[in-house]
Amino acid sequence: MNPVLSVHGLNKRFGAVVAADALALDIPAGQKVSLIGANGAGKTTFVNMVTGYLRPDSGSIALDGLDIGGRSPRKVARLGISRSFQIPQLFVELTAAENLTVAVSGAGTKALSFHSPAQAQAIHDKAVELLGRFGLADHAERPIAELAGGVRKLVDIAMALVRRPKLLLLDEPTSGVSAEEKFATMDRVIHAVSPDAATIVFVEHDMDIVSRYADRVVAFYQGRILADGEPSHVLKDREVRLYVTGGAK
């Protein structure tokens, strides 16, 4: 069986800066993989190449055995890869439900018809159902501008789930969330994703989140993979502690 995501010989440079240095990574279905590394280590570059926002200089990217390298973000999304962003990409003047409605209608094969009340209601119901999976039903009709940062983050992730992706990429899902709420926030994410059995890759700087939720940790350093394995092993690796976590437990 092919891995969900298979990356081989992936290279990317920005002038003299090496952002990806012969990256090779296979991720099987159902895994929760955390990407860790200092700022500039290459994590976001990797995510941007996988999702089509950056074209690699060389190498291959395959989803379920299909070469997706060089495809546009829209085409990559339609094939089964969705992402959330470190800074939520939302329409702040719209409500949470309206943001999800835009995402649901955009994921369909037919354009949303505002002349079809039945279609519009079905899309709205789908949006509210998705929000409910994140425990956000009470926020459905509130404008994004009124919502706290952690709630906005969950709405952004809910939008990424609209297509029921094979692979879900989350960029720092707990950033901007208080220390008291970070575990509850991640619990909601895992609970919401579970029905679709999506493979999850998440960029994270909080080692408590990494050790608690990841099945596997991939540590980046200067555009290359420094370590790859179970959290208990990678987080104790001498080089990882020296260059990535700063000795954090």
Side-chain angles (χ1 to χ4, degrees), residues 12-196:
K12 184 66 181 179
R13 287 177 176 266
F14 298 101
V17 177
V18 179
D21 185 7
L23 297 178
L25 189 65
D26 289 332
I27 298 178
Q31 269 197 339
K32 295 187 289 293
V33 182
S34 181
L35 310 183
I36 66 173
N39 291 333
K43 310 179 300 299
T44 299
T45 296
F46 172 79
V47 170
N48 285 338
M49 288 190 290
V50 169
T51 53
Y53 286 85
L54 273 179
R55 184 183 293 269
D57 296 334
S58 60
S60 64
I61 305 170
L63 178 69
D64 274 345
L66 175 68
D67 184 4
I68 63 170
R71 299 182 189 240
S72 69
R74 184 179 295 274
K75 289 182 178 179
V76 169
R78 289 192 180 280
L79 289 170
I81 297 180
S82 292
R83 70 176 295 181
S84 70
F85 295 83
Q86 182 178 358
I87 300 174
Q89 306 293 297
L90 303 170
F91 299 103
V92 295
E93 72 277 9
L94 300 182
T95 67
E98 287 169 341
N99 270 269
L100 266 291
T101 296
V102 171
V104 172
S105 60
T109 57
K110 297 180 180 180
L112 173 62
S113 172
F114 292 98
H115 300 291
S116 173
Q119 182 188 5
Q121 185 62 49
I123 291 174
H124 181 270
D125 291 346
K126 174 64 176 177
V128 173
E129 185 270 331
L130 271 171
L131 289 170
R133 282 166 60 174
F134 285 85
L136 300 178
D138 291 344
H139 297 287
E141 306 307 327
R142 294 183 61 193
I144 293 296
E146 296 181 0
L147 300 180
V151 177
R152 293 189 191 195
K153 180 79 71 171
L154 290 173
V155 174
D156 189 46
I157 296 172
M159 292 178 70
L161 272 185
V162 161
R163 294 181 184 274
R164 302 185 67 181
K166 299 175 183 178
L167 175 64
L168 179 64
L169 292 153
L170 307 177
D171 195 350
E172 299 194 35
T174 63
S175 68
V177 179
S178 69
E180 294 77 16
E181 296 178 338
K182 66 181 183 181
F183 291 129
T185 296
M186 200 64 182
D187 283 342
R188 288 187 180 190
V189 172
I190 299 301
H191 172 76
V193 172
S194 293
D196 294 326

